[in-house]
Amino acid sequence: MLPRKSMTWVLLLLLLSPAIVNLSTSQSDARWAAKKRRLRDKVHKMFYHAYDNYMIHAFPHDELKPLSKSFTDSLSELGNLKLERLPQDYSGSALTLIESLSSLVIMGNNTEFQSAVVWLSENLTFNVDARVNLFECNIRVLGGLVSAHLLATDSTDRLGKGVYKNQLLTLAEDLGKRFLPAFNTPTGLPYAWVNLKYGVMENETTETSTSGCGSLILEMGALSRLTGDPKYESAALRALRKLWSMRSSLNLLGTTLDVSTGEWIEYSTGIGAGVDSFYEYLFKAHILFGKEEFWRMFHSAYIAVQKYFRHGPWYHEADMRTGKATYWQLTSLQAFWPGLQVLVGDIAAANSSHREFVYVWKKYGVLPERYLLDHQMLHPTEKYYPLRPELAESTFYLYQATKDPWYIEVGESIVNSLNLYTKVDGGFASIRDVTTMQLEDHQHSFFLAETCKYLFLLFDDSFLVEKNYIFTTEGHPLPVLSSWHDRLPETYIQTNRTLLKTGNQARRASSMSKQVCPPTTLNSWECSGQQVESACHVPDARSDHRCLTDDECGVDSSNCRRRSCSMAGYCGLWLFI
């Protein structure tokens, strides 16, 4: 028995402990809120350090050279867009300004947004003899204009009365029309390059990438919905369907192809450069336009990626025909994948891969362009870091999904590295070699369009409150509108559903309809304690689970891991025991 005095203290402690816990939690929440505000303000300063230096030293050219405080017309690689009322020999498209439009809105600077809209409305023209890369011009210029138009015409009245009369949409439609000659091929797959004034040039290359012809549907689809003219979406959709029809029996697509013959050129493939945004746009097009066709394509493609590319938390490359590994390497562009997995609902897999990217970032201070997984070393020539946004993007999505403060710490690490290694007096410079932190005189427009934007949203998501956006592969927000969604017939029933009962009420739900993989992320009340089949589930070849090789084993329904064949001849998660 405790003494009476001790009992009194125990009872008092029990009475006070909930209050102490609540006070501690409240103090902790206040500290995190203060930290997020401090980091938000830090990113805000980063953005304007980059933006103001561009406006002072490079505008109206394309991009800033921060070391020399000069400019580069980077769209000269795409084809030199030109501006009216300027000398005939001037080349430049104010690319960074176009790319910054939605970032200005997200950071609350409606005054600068209005000034930029007015300037572009009065000066930008696409009626020029300019050979542009269709993919890059689509995601950067068309996407930037369409997104800014939607932001200029939403219900917030961020522009002065009478200032905006759809000028950006007029520019976007003009550009979209100039894209269309690229689709005049025997296959419907577009050329990689098109001249804005004369169409496809004689002897133009017929080689393009999977991303190049399969990542046009968001911007061109949105343009069709806004103008009421279906030809832009139809061209992009025809190309996407043709590309999907070229997949292998494993549901894998290669990296490069010929638009005239429809034949693959490069069979080695993965989730990085040349293919990345193809996967991204399949799922985001399903969200934006509500087409079940996009979900079916993505679902099959996602299963194939998880089956043939995934090795633990990493993703290697493989031959699209056989599924056999070809290159064991991490590329910085792959860092977008965890963010996409968050949208799908595969949070566990997203977190696993994201942590490996963070490990490499912390190892070098930034994320190198290419890292050899089989040798655990840098690629000998691709050691650069051009201020890419993909890791910040995935960190933002994972924090939105989990609210785990660890992702805030990751964001803080990214912010600190950018300020420590890349900030210079004239802006932010790319890194030529991550082993020496030698700088390169280039501030890419996507640093303002994406890197700063995703970091800002990580710490302050007020722009997203009570709104629903998807972001293009260049970080331009497009609102999800019910009026853009395909209407389904009343008799429509989605496939692969599981009947669940909650009390006396029966309802249909599955990870397919919820787009969740694995299903463990579903709340228990949603499933009434029952297991829901995962969207990534691939059954074993035989119902009795017997096997001779790993190829006869599928993907586990509970955790999306590849099953293997044991020495006894049974499929299971033997590698994870």
Side-chain angles (χ1 to χ4, degrees), residues 26 48 150 178 181 186 242 353:
S26 176
Y48 281 103
L150 287 162
R178 297 173 191 276
K242 173 60 180 178
S353 295

Short mmCIF file of all heavy atoms in Angstrom, two decimals, residues 26 48 150 178 181 186 242 353:
data_model
loop_
_atom_site.label_atom_id
_atom_site.label_comp_id
_atom_site.label_asym_id
_atom_site.label_seq_id
_atom_site.Cartn_x
_atom_site.Cartn_y
_atom_site.Cartn_z
N SER A 26 -0.08 21.28 -27.75
CA SER A 26 -0.36 22.62 -28.24
C SER A 26 0.93 23.39 -28.48
O SER A 26 1.08 24.08 -29.50
CB SER A 26 -1.24 23.36 -27.22
OG SER A 26 -1.45 24.69 -27.63
N TYR A 48 11.90 35.44 -54.99
CA TYR A 48 12.05 36.81 -55.47
C TYR A 48 13.51 37.18 -55.74
O TYR A 48 13.79 38.05 -56.57
CB TYR A 48 11.37 37.79 -54.52
CG TYR A 48 9.88 37.80 -54.76
CD1 TYR A 48 9.01 37.13 -53.90
CD2 TYR A 48 9.35 38.41 -55.89
CE1 TYR A 48 7.65 37.09 -54.15
CE2 TYR A 48 7.99 38.39 -56.14
CZ TYR A 48 7.14 37.73 -55.28
OH TYR A 48 5.79 37.70 -55.54
N LEU A 150 -6.69 30.38 -66.55
CA LEU A 150 -7.65 29.84 -65.59
C LEU A 150 -7.56 30.58 -64.26
O LEU A 150 -8.58 30.84 -63.60
CB LEU A 150 -7.41 28.35 -65.40
CG LEU A 150 -7.85 27.47 -66.58
CD1 LEU A 150 -7.19 26.10 -66.52
CD2 LEU A 150 -9.37 27.33 -66.59
N ARG A 178 -0.59 26.04 -84.06
CA ARG A 178 0.72 25.89 -84.69
C ARG A 178 1.37 24.54 -84.32
O ARG A 178 2.32 24.12 -84.96
CB ARG A 178 1.62 27.06 -84.30
CG ARG A 178 1.08 28.39 -84.80
CD ARG A 178 1.87 29.59 -84.27
NE ARG A 178 1.19 30.84 -84.56
CZ ARG A 178 1.27 31.50 -85.73
NH1 ARG A 178 2.02 31.03 -86.69
NH2 ARG A 178 0.61 32.63 -85.90
N PRO A 181 0.27 20.78 -87.12
CA PRO A 181 0.97 20.14 -88.24
C PRO A 181 1.92 19.02 -87.79
O PRO A 181 2.21 18.11 -88.58
CB PRO A 181 1.74 21.30 -88.88
CG PRO A 181 0.93 22.51 -88.56
CD PRO A 181 0.41 22.26 -87.18
N PRO A 186 1.84 9.30 -90.53
CA PRO A 186 1.07 8.07 -90.82
C PRO A 186 0.50 7.41 -89.57
O PRO A 186 -0.51 6.71 -89.63
CB PRO A 186 2.10 7.16 -91.50
CG PRO A 186 3.11 8.10 -92.08
CD PRO A 186 3.18 9.25 -91.12
N LYS A 242 -2.40 5.55 -79.83
CA LYS A 242 -1.47 4.84 -80.71
C LYS A 242 -0.25 4.38 -79.92
O LYS A 242 0.20 3.23 -80.06
CB LYS A 242 -1.05 5.74 -81.86
CG LYS A 242 0.05 5.16 -82.75
CD LYS A 242 -0.38 3.84 -83.40
CE LYS A 242 0.73 3.27 -84.27
NZ LYS A 242 0.35 1.97 -84.87
N SER A 353 10.64 4.80 -51.45
CA SER A 353 11.50 5.33 -52.51
C SER A 353 11.99 6.74 -52.18
O SER A 353 13.15 7.08 -52.42
CB SER A 353 10.75 5.34 -53.85
OG SER A 353 10.46 4.03 -54.27
#
